[in-house]
Amino acid sequence: QSALTQPASVSGSPGQSITISCTGTSSDVGGYKYVSWYQQHPGKAPKLMIYEVSIRPSGISNRFSGSKSGSTASLTISGLQAEDEADYYCSSLTSSSSRVFGGGTKLTVL
Amino acid sequence: EVQLVESGGGLVKPGGSLRLSCAASGFTFSAYAMNWVRQAPGKGLEWVSSISSNSVHIYYADSVKGRFTISRDNAKSSLYLQMNTLRVEDTAVYYCARGGCTSDGCKLFEYWGQGTLVTVSS
């Protein structure tokens, strides 16, 4: 049950686009479409932003998009806004039916 | 409106026990899988345990297997986590989160509670 690998931090200016990667193995990210992304602001509970690799829940801005290639999933945020500054986590189902999170990525909007 | 409200957290000594509860409302609790996820102070999210809608399928992280027990009472719309032989490293905010599959697809952790803090310290 090793954590998925995410960059510790990314940054971008307002209006720009950024991408956060999430690397796993064929036993998790690479083997299933059940990859999700969560946004967490300080002191708050996480919020689901993307599920099944690329589907946005109702109410989530279309500035957020997800994709996957092999064992690496990606979250892209376009048209960065100050309110996007937060921690982002990926998660995946695994071959043993457990779940695993990435280590988290701190997004700074410059 | 979906609501998940955790309770039962607090300060406990190493080796002690604690039982967390999660009261659910705003949806048909018996139709969804449920989960516990924790976050140590200043750290990332860690999946703890999952239970299927009918309690048939239960899974644990290796870090808590044999010490923690997840359960649910569909009649009371409640989820529980019995934590035994607690360690300092179990100190964290514990969140309950709804999972499961619907016609929209499968969401591992769709809705989250606000969490309850468990502190293990002598």
Side-chain angles (χ1 to χ4, degrees):
Chain A
Q1 294 179 350
S2 299
L4 306 175
T5 301
Q6 296 181 231
S9 63
V10 298
S11 62
S13 298
Q16 289 186 331
S17 294
I18 63 94
T19 296
I20 299 171
S21 62
C22 169
T23 300
T25 69
S26 59
S27 295
D28 38 64
V29 175
Y32 302 91
K33 67 176 182 177
Y34 303 117
V35 177
S36 305
W37 290 91
Y38 305 86
Q39 177 191 65
Q40 187 180 35
H41 288 108
K44 301 294 187 181
K47 178 182 180 182
L48 177 65
M49 305 301 286
I50 295 285
Y51 68 97
E52 288 191 4
V53 175
S54 61
I55 303 176
R56 281 187 310 275
S58 175
I60 300 301
S61 169
N62 60 10
R63 297 187 300 106
F64 292 83
S65 62
S67 63
K68 189 181 81 165
S69 176
S71 297
T72 297
S74 298
L75 173 70
T76 298
I77 309 174
S78 59
L80 267 180
Q81 299 179 0
E83 67 211 48
D84 299 332
E85 186 162 294
D87 293 326
Y88 291 84
Y89 296 89
C90 60
S91 71
S92 175
L93 183 67
T94 78
S95 58
S96 58
S97 297
S98 64
R99 284 75 164 143
V100 62
F101 283 97
T105 298
K106 182 177 180 60
L107 169 61
T108 300
V109 180
L110 302 171
Chain B
E1 179 194 5
V2 172
Q3 282 202 317
L4 299 169
V5 180
E6 301 93 338
S7 61
L11 175 63
V12 61
K13 290 181 166 51
S17 298
L18 214 52
R19 189 195 195 207
L20 305 184
S21 300
C22 172
S25 61
F27 65 100
T28 304
F29 182 76
S30 59
Y32 291 88
M34 296 296 295
N35 309 272
W36 287 101
V37 176
R38 69 184 181 183
Q39 187 170 33
K43 302 297 185 182
L45 300 173
E46 180 188 14
W47 170 75
V48 173
S49 183
S50 298
I51 185 169
S52 61
S53 58
N54 57 8
S55 302
V56 169
H57 302 286
I58 290 175
Y59 307 100
Y60 297 99
D62 287 345
S63 58
V64 306
K65 201 172 293 183
R67 300 187 300 123
F68 290 11
T69 302
I70 191 172
S71 63
R72 62 190 295 162
D73 186 334
N74 285 345
K76 295 183 177 180
S77 296
S78 293
L79 176 72
Y80 307 101
L81 186 68
Q82 177 67 43
M83 304 186 296
N84 297 330
T85 318
L86 281 161
R87 304 168 180 168
V88 170
E89 55 264 36
D90 294 319
T91 295
V93 173
Y94 285 72
Y95 295 100
C96 72
R98 191 185 89 173
C101 300
T102 66
S103 57
D104 289 345
C106 294
K107 301 155 189 169
L108 297 180
F109 313 103
E110 183 176 11
Y111 292 98
W112 300 65
Q114 285 306 303
T116 186
L117 176 62
V118 172
T119 303
V120 185
S121 174
S122 55

